[in-house]
Amino acid sequence: MTQNESNQTHVSFRDVETRFKGLFAWVFSTDHKRIGLLYLYSIVTFFLTGVALGIAMKLELMAPGRDVMDPETYNAIFTLHGVIMIFLVVVPGLPAIFGNFFLPIMIGAKDVAFPKLNLMSWWLYVLGALVALSSLFMADGPPDTGWTFYAPYSFKTNTNVLPAVIGAFILGFSSILTGINFIVTIHRLRAPGMGWFKMPLFPWTLYGTGWIQILATPIVGITLLMIVGERLFSIGFFDPALGGDPILYQHLFWIYSHPAVYIMILPAMGAISEIIPTFANKTIFGYKAIVISTLAIAFVGYFVWGHHMFTSGMSGTALYTFSLLTFLVAIPSAIKVFNWVSTLHKASIQLEAPFFWAVSFVFVFMIGGLSGLALGALATNVHLHDTAFVVAHFHYIVFGGVGFAFLGAIHYWFPKMWGRMYNKKRAITGWVLFFIGFNTLYLPMFFLGISGMPRRYYDYVERFHGPNIVSTIGSWVLLIGLVVIIYNLVRSAKKGEPAVKNPWGGKTLEWTVDSPPTLENFEDIPEVTKGPYDYR
Amino acid sequence: MIEETTNNASNFVSEVDSAFVFIFGISLFFLFAITIVMVYYVFRYRKSKNPKATHIEGNHKLEIIWTVIPTILVVIMFYYGWAGWKSQREVPEDAMTIKSIARMWSFGFEYENGVTTDTLYVPIHQPINLDLVAVDVLHSIYIPAFRIKQDMVPGKPDFIWFESGKIGEYEIFCAEYCGLRHSFMKTAVKVLSQEDYDAWYKGSSQTAEGAGAEGKALFQKFGCFACHSIDGSKLVGPSLKGIFNNKRMVIKDGEEIELVADAEYIKRSIYEPNADVVKDFVPGMMVSYKAMIKDEEVDQLIEYFKTLE
Amino acid sequence: MENHTDAHIVPYKMYLYILGGLIMLTLISVAVTEIEFGEFSVLVALVLASIKATLVLIYFMHLKFDNKILQIMVPAIFILVALVIIIVFLDYNYR
Amino acid sequence: MDTSTTITHDEHRDDEASKLGMWLFIFTELLLFAGLFIVYGVYRYENQEAFHSAGKELSVPIGTINTVILLISSATIAMASSAIRFKNKKLTIRLLVVTLLMALIFMVNKYFEWTGKIEHGYLPGTDTLMNMEQGKVLFYGLYFFMTGLHALHIIVGVILITIVVIRVNKNTLSDENPVLLDNAGLYWHLVDLIWIFLFPLFYLIA
Ligand code: HEA
Ligand code: HEA
Ligand code: CUA
Ligand SMILES: [Cu+2]
């Protein structure tokens, strides 16, 4: 089949007639592409809620003292913000949206291994989200514990911790189902000829992510169940008054939540590893090194959870073991960065919006990651732990990393998903604003942290005022950038120019199918003979 | 409030700061080097300048170099971090012990002579060992100028130590989220010269003057202000304005009853706060002060409450 | 992709042998607790339990007849769990 | 594949995939309990004496009987997997019913054990237990939580096996497509596997 020839007789997956009509044709569809879009719409909704809460916090932090809200509200807001952003947005984020949409296409399959399970995991996601947010409408209000739910405060407070915890439990289930589905899909449904090392990098990262989802999520599941038991029956697992140990709670929580940060970042790295070769028109540098570093991150990442607990009163032996392991897990990330940059050497680069997102991803990811090193060393962590520095670190790496990758990915795959092109100029304007706003918002927080401002602070002493105001202003610039981006994409999804099959000249399989793809993706399952990024 | 430079504020500052300098130095070097190379490539190899890409699959030598060099660097970072931290866990023999108590939402410091304050007073050039106790939930004592921080975990005593080399007043924050007024849970450490400290230490056991003045000092010292106002406004606990001999609606064993806040009741409220819980307030928030407040101190508190008309 | 899960059908007898073995091991572990091993009784009990678990995994759960990938995955998971437990005890053991 | 009808989106069958999926699910279940075993391990380590004496109050005979029961049920369901491949429908159903019966006996035993303990006031949250020493509170907290969660898995297993029995009976599950039976078996062995560890930890190490 020749490239870029659009075949009119094919019906796109969006227009296919099914048993159900209208909205039901979507929410009961087992088509991986529709499920991907369902995830997209629901995740973006929650994401915008989270953004609004973030902006509200920044308003409150504009000046010392009470600005716009009470401490109760502030505490509830950062908890909800954290819960929404972590459990509802970035953990499902890229795997659920782009993984669902593109994993089968990229490995040459017609769907995931268990389409019904896939639909169920979306339903569980929605259910979990609703349960988690239901506390907003209850007497005593939403929880005020922070997204970490640290004991013993989490069962002393009289706010509605239970809905949030049960919601997170259900969300965990949804995440596990996605993970199982992807792993089985990758094992069983690769197109003939696609050996493990002929698989594109985005599926590879989904594979690593899938394993973390399967092996780490149950631990937080059981931990959250124990909180439920604790609150309902005062079993005493983590209540010092009954002999329980609050630090054990932290162990269990971070055994999941540290690997969870790699659930977030791995697919983001995968998306970047797709974008860079496509726009560089060049095969990726060190394909195998990137694959191995992906698996290394997934594996070593399992054993570093203690770096969140350096001041908790753990034993010294545990402290330096965790510190050393933390540093080791930084190496594979470094390898990836070097490989991405080297790919650009002697390339032929198309300067398009997705590429700008990818390059700026590398930049903010480096800032986030390198600040992680200061947190990983014991002496410096003691000073920085639970300060604004940590907040800056994880916004740079979570929202800088995952957010930028997400936005890069959506600009990259947009033509394939909606079959239309967006306005390229506007896309770049949005990126510029976003990039400036982002750095103005979070860079000052590093300085606040170093000079000693603790996090989760509703109020602060006068000397922290300056950086905070800069940061607040940054949040508005960022917001404007976001509005430009969303406006551009929403408009183009309806009115954009029809897109060709392969607008960027990509080599992976998704660029050989129609834009948007047909229900079955491929008429005939393709035979794979070359490596994934063969630009010769 | 915080001193301009914190160079000598504690014995840990220089070690921790040199770890900072090393880690940030390496980090900034890599950040700038990589960014510059990246931007240069983007510029140099853009399509209009370089229409045909060269096919390069990888380079094993390079991969090994950029695995080994960062590995060596991070191991050095680890060492710096570990070295700077190790001394923080080794308390000198001659350290002076001060018991530090954290509760929602105030710190208290108890000296060897039994005096308790809400600000920490310490002499200069003297190792201080803080015995850390939390009574209700997690807290964390954080003295940025000294570069030290340690969580305070209920049921698990811990410690932190320092030796200050510079007279002055430094902030203490609570760095572990502990509920509603977490961000208000702050106080200061005052580093005094040995003479000033001795003078303060002697004078501190003297009593204040005026009706209920001792009670007021106690109320301050035990951090009751964190939850109780005296002007009628509702904080986490009920306002104590005009409490004495007034009517209270309380929940006792699930039933709502009306009581008069006599001396007996107030004492019970302090020793067993959850026995009868004031209506609209949460049991379990206030912990029993039985171990901390003596009988005669309760009487002094009551004297003070009588003045709150 | 062929759909017959295992070519190999395990004869009933083998399950009965394994069951016999498992019951024996259970009785042994009960009997052993009667003897005071002190420190080691935990270890003995866990070793016996692990043997039983291995039997269940290999025979009842067909690992012996399954494909390579599963034969690698299952022990890997147990090693992972063991590592996590060891690391947790790096804290508690040295407090 | 027919190009004109993109309407039907038929799912193809891949038993190997179903089995792999089941195993992955079993891994998550194992880690779920691993979390609890960590908690158990830590508290046991910190409260040796209390766990020792509390463990003595559990009845070893009942525990042993329940262990044997579960082992038998595991063997019977494994044999059912062979039976269906030998095309012996009757035997398959019999074996499965025996499995269900064993599960039932297990639950009845558990019921009596639990009520006994509850009568002693060992139920978490009750005043009697709260006033006992801390190690004991933790022991019984863990006891009820872990055996409770295990019992929950038994109930799920029973439902699953019942479905299998019905389908075998209706001939919708046969030697052509035995994978649901195999997977139910795998799940049931998992339940057994967990009990194999629960039993010594609560009943024996006393
Ligand atoms: C996507 C999520 C994500 C990712 C990928 C990371 C990656 C890393 N994180 Fe981060 N982290 C979070 C999300 C993430 N983190 C969150 C959410 C929290 C806070 C949770 C909370 O308390 O609420 C947190 C908190 C956190 C802490 C605890 C802070 C505290 O509370 O005291 C620590 C401490 O070690 C840490 C370290 C690291 C390290 C070393 C990496 C490394 O993996 C980074 C590796 C990357 C690089 C190193 C950069 C690229 C490499 C180069 C440019 C080459 C040069 C490199 C060398 C010379 C080594 N993180
Ligand atoms: C993904 C994670 C994420 C994101 C995107 C954000 C976004 C924002 N956050 Fe963050 N934040 C957290 C995760 C995140 N946050 C967490 C975990 C905590 C800790 C909570 C706790 O302490 O318990 C926290 C805490 C936190 C605090 C500290 C509270 C305190 O300690 O006192 C503040 C303070 O201002 C803040 C501000 C903001 C602002 C202004 C935004 C935004 O409004 C900025 C605007 C964002 C954008 C304009 C777009 C970015 C685009 C994407 C991310 C792509 C979306 C992806 C998909 C749809 C898949 N956040
Ligand atoms: Cu005490 Cu925060
Ligand atoms: Cu981490």
Side-chain angles (χ1 to χ4, degrees), chain B residues 139 174 176-178 182 185:
Chain B
H139 302 274
C174 172
E176 185 62 69
Y177 179 70
C178 53
H182 163 58
M185 184 163 167

Side-chain angles (χ1 to χ4, degrees), chain C residues 6 8 11 22 33 47 53 56 70 75 80 91:
Chain C
D6 351 272
H8 186 100
L22 285 168
T33 45
V47 167
V56 170
L70 275 177
L80 183 89
D91 177 9

Side-chain angles (χ1 to χ4, degrees), chain A residues 462-532:
Chain A
E462 187 57 37
R463 73 186 168 93
F464 298 133
H465 193 178
N468 265 311
I469 244 188
V470 176
S471 169
T472 303
I473 293 170
S475 73
W476 300 332
V477 180
L478 184 64
L479 192 63
I480 297 170
L482 187 66
V483 170
V484 173
I485 294 166
I486 293 183
Y487 170 77
N488 186 24
L489 294 181
V490 170
R491 209 186 109 93
S492 311
K494 290 207 205 91
K495 304 203 178 132
E497 299 265 298
V500 291
K501 257 189 186 172
N502 191 356
W504 318 119
K507 295 283 178 192
T508 35
L509 286 176
E510 78 269 30
W511 302 112
T512 64
V513 302
D514 292 348
S515 302
T518 56
L519 183 64
E520 301 263 78
N521 305 336
F522 302 95
E523 282 155 39
D524 300 298
I525 297 290
E527 277 271 346
V528 179
T529 48
K530 291 196 273 183

Side-chain angles (χ1 to χ4, degrees), chain A residues 424-440:
Chain A
K424 292 183 177 178
K425 270 224 185 85
R426 209 178 275 141
I428 291 178
T429 317
W431 169 73
V432 171
L433 284 171
F434 197 94
F435 185 72
I436 295 174
F438 178 83
N439 287 293
T440 325

Side-chain angles (χ1 to χ4, degrees), chain A residues 86 147-148 254 258 261-262 264-265 307-308 310 326-327 329-331 333-334 337-338 365-366 368-370 372-373 375-377 381 384-386 390 393-394 397-398 402 455-456, chain B residues 26 30-31 34 70 73-74 77:
Chain A
I86 299 282
W147 80 283
T148 47
W254 290 113
H258 182 82
V261 310
Y262 296 117
M264 311 165 194
I265 200 70
H307 65 212
H308 297 270
F310 282 160
T326 299
F327 279 116
V329 83
I331 304 295
S333 300
V337 169
F338 293 131
F365 176 74
M366 280 196 295
L370 293 166
L373 299 177
L375 292 171
N381 180 284
L384 295 176
H385 171 69
D386 264 340
V390 179
H393 158 70
F394 69 71
I397 205 159
V398 177
V402 183
R455 69 191 274 207
R456 295 172 173 173
Chain B
I26 304 263
F30 273 95
L31 178 66
I34 296 175
L73 289 175
V74 293
M77 287 182 194

Side-chain angles (χ1 to χ4, degrees), chain A residues 32 93-104 112 182 202 206 413:
Chain A
H32 65 102
L94 278 105
I97 300 171
F98 299 112
N100 261 322
F101 201 109
F102 287 108
L103 170 68
V112 292
F182 285 2
F202 185 58
L206 291 175
W413 280 314

Side-chain angles (χ1 to χ4, degrees), chain D residues 129-141:
Chain D
L129 186 62
M130 291 307 197
N131 295 329
M132 286 181 211
E133 60 175 321
Q134 294 184 342
K136 212 159 185 178
V137 179
L138 288 172
F139 183 88
Y140 280 106

